[in-house]
Amino acid sequence: MSNDAAINGLFGFNNEHQTEALPGALPIGQFNPQRCPYGLYAEQFSTSAFTRPRHENRRTWTYRIRPSIAMGDFSKIDKGQVRSGPITEVDCPPNVMRWDALPLPTEATDFIDGLITIAANGDVRGQSGMGIHIYLANKDMDNRSFYSADGELLFIPQLGAFNAITEMGELSIKPGEILVIPRGIKFKIEPLDGPIRGYICENYGSPLELAERGPAGANGFANQRDFQYPHANFEETDGEHQIIAKFCGEFYQAKQNHSPFDVVAWVGNSAPYKYDLSRFNVLNTVSFDHPDPSIFTVLTSPSAEAGVANVDFVIFPPRWMVAENTFRPPWYHKNFMSEFMGLIEGTYDAKEKGFAPGGMSLHNCMTPHGPEADVFDKATNAELTPQRYENTMAFMLESRYVIAPTKFALNAPQRQKNYLACWGDLKKHFNGQP
């Protein structure tokens, strides 16, 4: 496959894109002609119910060499360290938790074998909540492909670039970008320049959409134009191929005698896409106090309750801080929503020590948290001049459902058992004086 597909993409979030790898492969004026061009099969791919309102409907028509059903039966296989919500193997304590980055594999490991679940919530069968995974890999998937029927996959790379070969085409991804693959889309991951590591949010709920701007108006935050989709780019390759499916929290495999990446043309709005986080247009206060961190929301999966997300994907990018007479780091708080954080690069302003790139933290519903003691002392005594936050990119997955860590995560040697110590030097400053 050519890198041209990764460079010259199709732009626009949720647009009705159309693309063909061979001229005339895409039917015009209808989706399902009696005979498709080139002897292709028409196959509709739907990631929403047929009757969902037009502006919320997600579907794509594909024109492929063989339909997806041209395969063998599925059989259950070992799922390794992958888990799904609800997590029932261990209790979920209300403690604050933090982990160092998981080590890179020392043996040959592809994306499927290097997938580890850290936490999950909701119910994978009830299509609510999410799973949070770490991916670790140092080799291609070769003749294996993967798809999740349980949720769409939001990749948040932290280390190393990779190619994502998907049914709709190819996208190249590097740290500082994100990739979203809809539920049901087959793909394989090819590391480009060494081992790769990153985070995945497996969204069981409603497909991710752009956060509303509200009183901010027509501009700001993430812009539709910056989301890139792949050109159609097909393989006509025969030979044994293994498909791994995640279904109802379990792994299943099936074999077929050809590549599944045989889509010659497609049209629709449900397809993989990437986004460069540096293009997020940050809004912030120019007077005093903090707006809520929801102003940094890139994508959201809404729930049935307005304004209460199944999951929000929030970033903390480089930005100016100019608030007057204001404690500038995140305030101390207890929150209705549960928060899982990761760090892509640099440092996070509320946790200057112990939270390194590749690490993660979990602060659940009503569990108090906030800046460590040293950060509090520094921020309360700082001269408040305009300050530029540079070389940083943290993110948060925020959910209305309690985020339960897996048994692996609770017992991992990377878990910082002394995490609470960063607040241990919080002193009493009260003296009865105004």
Side-chain angles (χ1 to χ4, degrees):
M1 290 188 176
S2 168
N3 256 353
D4 290 346
I7 297 170
N8 302 310
L10 309 165
F11 289 88
F13 184 85
N14 204 32
N15 282 0
E16 182 93 340
H17 295 291
Q18 59 181 26
T19 173
E20 55 187 18
L22 295 176
L26 193 68
I28 302 300
Q30 67 176 119
F31 294 118
N32 189 25
Q34 183 182 19
R35 293 184 181 86
C36 292
Y38 294 97
L40 298 172
Y41 288 88
E43 180 175 279
Q44 183 175 227
F45 169 72
S46 296
T47 49
S48 67
F50 295 152
T51 51
R52 199 158 185 182
R54 180 186 286 254
H55 71 283
E56 296 175 346
N57 207 292
R58 302 276 185 102
R59 67 94 177 91
T60 291
W61 278 92
T62 63
Y63 302 90
R64 57 195 318 151
I65 297 172
R66 296 178 182 87
S68 296
I69 192 59
M71 61 188 300
D73 280 339
F74 282 102
S75 58
K76 190 175 179 180
I77 60 172
D78 181 43
K79 62 184 176 182
Q81 293 293 345
V82 175
R83 301 291 183 269
S84 298
I87 300 296
T88 57
E89 59 187 7
V90 285
D91 292 332
C92 177
N95 301 322
V96 291
M97 297 181 220
R98 190 165 69 182
W99 293 264
D100 295 324
L102 297 187
L104 296 169
T106 56
E107 299 180 355
T109 304
D110 72 8
F111 169 81
I112 298 172
D113 294 333
L115 203 54
I116 298 172
T117 306
I118 299 299
N121 64 10
D123 186 334
V124 70
R125 293 184 179 227
Q127 298 187 338
S128 65
M130 64 174 168
I132 301 171
H133 315 285
I134 297 293
Y135 67 84
L136 306 159
N138 56 18
K139 69 179 292 287
D140 293 352
M141 289 170 58
D142 298 326
N143 66 339
R144 298 212 290 176
S145 63
F146 180 83
Y147 74 88
S148 173
D150 292 339
E152 66 179 342
L153 301 176
L154 164 63
F155 287 71
I156 309 163
Q158 183 270 316
L159 177 70
F162 62 88
N163 278 346
I165 313 298
T166 81
E167 293 181 86
M168 273 75 169
E170 177 182 331
L171 290 168
S172 293
I173 315 296
K174 63 183 185 297
E177 299 175 329
I178 59 171
L179 166 71
V180 175
I181 298 181
R183 72 169 77 210
I185 285 289
K186 301 181 190 74
F187 66 91
K188 62 180 178 180
I189 300 298
E190 298 180 342
L192 289 176
D193 52 9
I196 60 174
R197 178 175 59 204
Y199 313 84
I200 293 179
C201 171
E202 183 183 18
N203 171 31
Y204 309 148
S206 181
L208 292 165
E209 57 189 56
L210 296 183
E212 293 296 340
R213 294 186 174 108
N219 302 291
F221 308 136
N223 293 302
Q224 289 97 320
R225 63 176 292 189
D226 293 323
F227 289 78
Q228 180 179 345
Y229 292 71
H231 281 295
N233 195 11
F234 69 97
E235 293 179 350
E236 188 180 4
T237 306
D238 293 337
E240 185 174 295
H241 192 96
Q242 183 186 39
I243 296 172
I244 310 296
K246 183 174 183 290
F247 182 79
C248 290
E250 302 295 334
F251 273 19
Y252 296 85
Q253 71 171 357
K255 294 181 179 180
Q256 61 185 45
N257 61 6
H258 60 279
S259 169
F261 306 114
D262 65 351
V263 174
V264 180
W266 62 268
V267 54
N269 63 352
S270 189
Y273 58 86
K274 63 180 278 188
Y275 174 70
D276 184 341
L277 297 176
S278 68
R279 297 190 180 189
F280 186 80
N281 185 214
V282 180
L283 304 186
N284 211 336
T285 183
V286 292
S287 56
F288 60 88
D289 287 351
H290 284 266
D292 294 320
S294 49
I295 62 170
F296 302 123
T297 302
V298 181
L299 294 166
T300 182
S301 166
S303 73
E305 187 174 350
V308 185
N310 177 69
V311 58
D312 283 331
F313 171 60
V314 181
I315 63 172
F316 301 97
R319 61 199 184 276
W320 280 98
M321 299 291 282
V322 300
E324 299 174 332
N325 192 32
T326 297
F327 181 77
R328 288 182 178 175
W331 55 75
Y332 295 98
H333 66 293
K334 296 189 292 184
N335 196 358
F336 166 80
M337 303 287 275
S338 294
E339 304 171 359
F340 178 94
M341 288 197 66
L343 186 62
I344 299 170
E345 67 170 326
T347 58
Y348 176 56
D349 54 306
K351 299 288 188 299
E352 294 182 348
K353 301 175 184 176
F355 188 39
M360 47 209 149
S361 66
L362 176 59
H363 304 140
N364 255 313
C365 172
M366 295 305 160
T367 295
H369 54 285
E372 57 192 28
D374 289 348
V375 170
F376 176 84
D377 290 340
K378 181 179 175 181
T380 53
N381 293 295
E383 180 182 355
L384 295 183
T385 59
Q387 183 181 8
R388 175 73 177 169
Y389 284 9
E390 295 278 14
N391 303 317
T392 181
M393 183 64 77
F395 73 88
M396 180 167 66
L397 299 171
E398 189 175 57
S399 177
R400 66 174 300 168
Y401 306 109
V402 168
I403 302 171
T406 61
K407 184 178 180 180
F408 172 91
L410 286 176
N411 297 324
Q414 290 77 29
R415 183 182 170 194
Q416 300 177 9
K417 298 293 182 65
N418 64 342
Y419 180 29
L420 266 176
C422 73
W423 291 285
D425 292 333
L426 287 170
K427 299 178 178 64
K428 175 183 173 181
H429 298 285
F430 177 77
N431 60 12
Q433 300 299 315

